[in-house]
Amino acid sequence: MRWTRTKNSIFSLFTEKKNGSTAKFQKKALLARLNDSAETVLGKKYGFREISSTQSYQQKVPVHHYEDLKPYWDSESTGNINVTVGSRIHKFAVSTGTTGIPKLIPVTRKLLRDFRRRGMQLVSIYLKAHPESRILSKKHLAITGSAILGKTQSGIPYGTISGIMAEGSPLLMRHKRIPTSEVINLCDWNQKADSIAEQARHQDIGLILGIPATILNYLEKIKGIYSKSDFEFFASNLEAIFCSGVNYRSYQDKIQSLLGRKVNFLDYYAASEGIFGHQSAIDPDSMEFFSDTIFFEFIPFHEYLQKDYSNRKLLHQLKDGEDYALLVTTGNGTFSYVLGDLIQCVDHRVPLFRVKGRTVLTLNLAGEKTAISVVEKTVQSLSRELNSEPGEFFVTGRTINGRQSYLWVIEKNSIWDSQGTERLASRLDHFLQEHNNLYKLLYPTNFSPSQVLLIERDSFKAWFERKNADLGHSKIPRIIKDPRIAEDIIGKMEA
């Protein structure tokens, strides 16, 4: 045990997250990104070479959405170089695009190096909290999408960012990784899950990485195909789950119930554009930013909704309790890029933050501004009351007799089914008013009672399979704003 603690300490010493002045880290990160792209088409357009401060940067460089940068990235996808980055794009990450058109995001070799460093830092953060951990001696199981789904017309590969990250994991950790690259790149989810299960059988696996819903799906699968002793061996050796993509708390109890024991969870904040933060040891319900290589900006959310982008706050300028649209400048051709996430500052001194949802996925039928985090808290509250968690779920809007209403589409189980949809809808409305004061204020005059549609277990999984989505990287949208899309999904699931 003493050697384990010593080994963990040595690992952490060389990989731990840097600490220091947030403002200094952020300025250094920004100037490094500008220097990398100074001689590109975008860099010359905005005069990156002449920028020497965050203030001059914000004066010269506007806010960019995906549509603004897409023409540049399309050019790079044909093989052109020095467009947004000073090198040929290594790969493209394809977003899952659950209800929209998938997007191709550039992935440079420098960004991959940043991913590797962040991966090592996440392990270091975990080891500091668990100094007697044995995960460095155990295998790591990565349940991801495919690193290569196809190629652009110029031959540049594209795939899911989770697969790209797994395939490019740090050399120090790669020999511990399951599965092999060949299995990572299988596109058929059932074939991939079977192959992962075989490679993981009888292995001493201490860590799983992936999206919580995919991890749950995988555990259900192997519990069905492993013998009882094989699954107990797997579960008894598992120590930790590192997850991203959605709030893991909606899945934690179900995962631990399947395993028959508690495991440790470490949440991290990642997207196709980078790994931005990690679960805080100070407040496990909040996150801390990795501030040394990515430059962050924040637009007060109420101003962002009005399309007023003039007030771009820096990381050290945030106010506690305020909501912000997040902008990132990374090493992959994004500059003041609207990530689409809604961030709430919890403590400006650290700073600590929470991801409340998506800027474009706030349900706002009558001014109530229900965020994804509120939707999840509402379902969690009812789950605690019933002492039973449902399967996957989403909420959308409907108009009934001229008034707005919420429609909750939920994968049922026997307990939820026994309650009846009217009672479930009433309790969801009750808890939604508890978690969203604006909804409570507007409810009597602007909303009809919620409705609930209970669907069969694994309906969402079947829907993803029908649209040939990569289940290793697919996430269920908690909010679907367009009722036509929601009705289409419901129709296909009920067909």
Side-chain angles (χ1 to χ4, degrees):
M1 188 62 70
R2 180 179 297 177
W3 165 238
T4 297
R5 293 177 68 96
T6 302
K7 181 170 61 174
N8 291 346
S9 297
I10 293 172
F11 180 91
S12 296
L13 180 65
F14 288 98
T15 60
E16 65 183 355
K17 175 186 172 185
K18 294 179 180 178
N19 293 310
S21 167
T22 299
K24 287 182 179 179
F25 274 151
Q26 284 288 274
K27 181 179 178 181
K28 184 178 179 181
L30 173 63
L31 296 182
R33 300 288 78 79
L34 297 179
N35 183 65
D36 291 341
S37 296
E39 299 304 316
T40 64
V41 172
L42 200 67
K44 291 177 179 178
K45 177 180 179 180
Y46 295 123
F48 285 179
R49 188 68 74 190
E50 288 75 45
I51 295 174
S52 59
S53 67
T54 54
Q55 183 179 10
S56 60
Y57 170 78
Q58 291 184 332
Q59 290 172 346
K60 285 176 174 285
V61 181
V63 169
H64 292 104
H65 291 80
Y66 174 78
E67 292 73 21
D68 301 316
L69 293 174
K70 184 178 183 296
Y72 298 96
W73 294 342
D74 285 347
S75 176
E76 287 171 322
S77 74
T78 66
N80 291 325
I81 60 174
N82 288 322
V83 182
T84 64
V85 296
S87 61
R88 192 173 189 268
I89 299 299
H90 176 59
K91 288 182 178 178
F92 282 91
V94 59
S95 70
T96 48
T98 304
T99 56
I101 299 173
K103 304 171 184 177
L104 291 180
I105 309 294
V107 176
T108 61
R109 292 188 184 277
K110 183 167 288 189
L111 184 67
L112 280 177
R113 288 197 295 272
D114 192 52
F115 277 135
R116 294 187 191 106
R117 181 165 62 250
R118 295 300 180 226
M120 301 285 273
Q121 288 173 337
L122 287 171
V123 174
S124 176
I125 289 165
Y126 178 81
L127 293 177
K128 279 193 168 184
H130 305 276
E132 297 182 358
S133 167
R134 294 184 58 245
I135 62 170
L136 291 181
S137 304
K138 292 172 175 274
K139 298 285 189 179
H140 304 160
L141 180 61
I143 306 176
T144 70
S146 300
I148 301 177
L149 293 170
K151 294 184 177 181
T152 68
Q153 65 184 58
S154 65
I156 302 174
Y158 61 83
T160 66
I161 194 61
S162 61
I164 293 170
M165 288 169 59
E167 196 173 55
S169 54
L171 284 173
L172 187 62
M173 312 293 287
R174 199 171 300 171
H175 71 288
K176 297 282 190 182
R177 186 197 72 207
I178 296 174
T180 61
S181 292
E182 290 76 15
V183 172
I184 286 175
N185 287 312
L186 291 174
C187 293
D188 181 271
W189 168 249
N190 289 318
Q191 183 186 2
K192 176 185 283 190
D194 288 340
S195 299
I196 295 174
E198 285 310 305
Q199 291 188 2
R201 192 189 295 268
H202 303 145
Q203 297 291 329
D204 183 9
I205 294 171
L207 172 64
I208 298 180
L209 304 98
I211 295 171
T214 307
I215 293 172
L216 176 62
N217 181 272
Y218 173 78
L219 292 176
E220 289 173 336
K221 186 175 187 68
I222 66 170
K223 190 167 187 177
I225 62 178
Y226 280 8
S227 67
K228 182 179 179 181
S229 60
D230 282 352
F231 187 79
E232 287 176 349
F233 174 81
F234 172 89
S236 65
N237 286 309
L238 184 63
E239 178 183 330
I241 293 175
F242 290 7
C243 50
S244 183
V246 296
N247 187 348
Y248 74 85
R249 290 166 183 81
S250 299
Y251 302 88
Q252 185 174 13
D253 289 346
K254 286 181 275 189
I255 288 173
Q256 294 184 146
S257 176
L258 266 175
L259 292 170
R261 57 186 292 268
K262 290 187 176 181
V263 293
N264 301 313
F265 284 78
L266 179 65
D267 199 8
Y268 63 97
Y269 178 28
S272 298
E273 297 80 6
I275 298 178
F276 306 124
H278 63 88
Q279 189 171 6
S280 173
I282 302 170
D283 176 6
D285 290 329
S286 302
M287 290 194 174
E288 298 179 30
F289 283 105
F290 288 116
S291 60
D292 56 334
T293 59
I294 295 175
F295 178 65
F296 298 102
E297 298 170 276
F298 307 82
I299 300 175
F301 188 52
H302 65 279
E303 296 176 16
Y304 178 82
L305 289 176
Q306 301 299 320
K307 301 188 185 304
D308 178 3
Y309 309 145
S310 59
N311 185 18
R312 289 148 67 179
K313 301 290 186 181
L314 303 180
L315 192 51
H316 63 281
Q317 297 173 332
L318 303 183
K319 293 183 178 180
D320 295 355
E322 291 291 319
D323 294 342
Y324 300 92
L326 177 63
L327 282 59
V328 295
T329 297
T330 69
N332 68 324
T334 60
F335 297 92
S336 295
Y337 178 69
V338 178
L339 197 62
D341 285 342
L342 177 62
I343 301 295
Q344 182 180 69
C345 177
V346 176
D347 187 336
H348 69 280
R349 296 166 298 180
V350 179
L352 296 177
F353 72 96
R354 291 178 186 146
V355 181
K356 291 190 66 178
R358 300 285 290 172
T359 56
V360 294
L361 287 181
T362 299
L363 201 55
N364 194 26
L365 305 181
E368 76 280 13
K369 300 177 184 176
T370 299
I372 290 174
S373 60
V374 171
V375 171
E376 292 178 333
K377 287 178 182 177
T378 299
V379 174
Q380 287 168 10
S381 294
L382 182 52
S383 297
R384 284 192 292 270
E385 182 175 276
L386 299 177
N387 196 27
S388 171
E389 294 190 16
E392 297 290 357
F393 59 90
F394 73 79
V395 65
T396 187
R398 276 184 170 179
T399 301
I400 301 175
N401 298 324
R403 299 178 72 189
Q404 302 294 339
S405 174
Y406 279 27
L407 172 65
W408 302 79
V409 180
I410 303 171
E411 289 183 345
K412 64 185 177 181
N413 60 30
S414 59
I415 294 177
W416 282 63
D417 200 18
S418 68
Q419 299 295 307
T421 56
E422 287 190 14
R423 172 169 168 73
L424 291 174
S426 174
R427 298 308 293 158
L428 287 168
D429 267 340
H430 168 78
F431 288 119
L432 182 56
Q433 290 178 60
E434 278 193 359
H435 296 303
N436 184 348
N437 287 329
L438 283 174
Y439 184 79
K440 181 177 182 178
L441 180 67
L442 295 166
Y443 180 79
T445 56
N446 291 273
F447 287 94
S448 292
S450 284
Q451 296 180 319
V452 168
L453 174 63
L454 294 177
I455 57 177
E456 295 299 324
R457 185 87 175 189
D458 293 330
S459 293
F460 285 102
K461 178 186 173 186
W463 175 68
F464 274 126
E465 288 175 338
R466 280 197 291 271
K467 66 194 289 283
N468 295 318
D470 189 329
L471 287 177
H473 193 75
S474 297
K475 297 173 285 188
I476 307 299
R478 293 305 189 210
I479 292 174
I480 297 181
K481 294 180 67 173
D482 190 333
R484 293 169 300 179
I485 295 175
E487 293 293 344
D488 180 63
I489 294 172
I490 293 167
K492 286 185 170 67
M493 285 193 292
E494 292 183 327

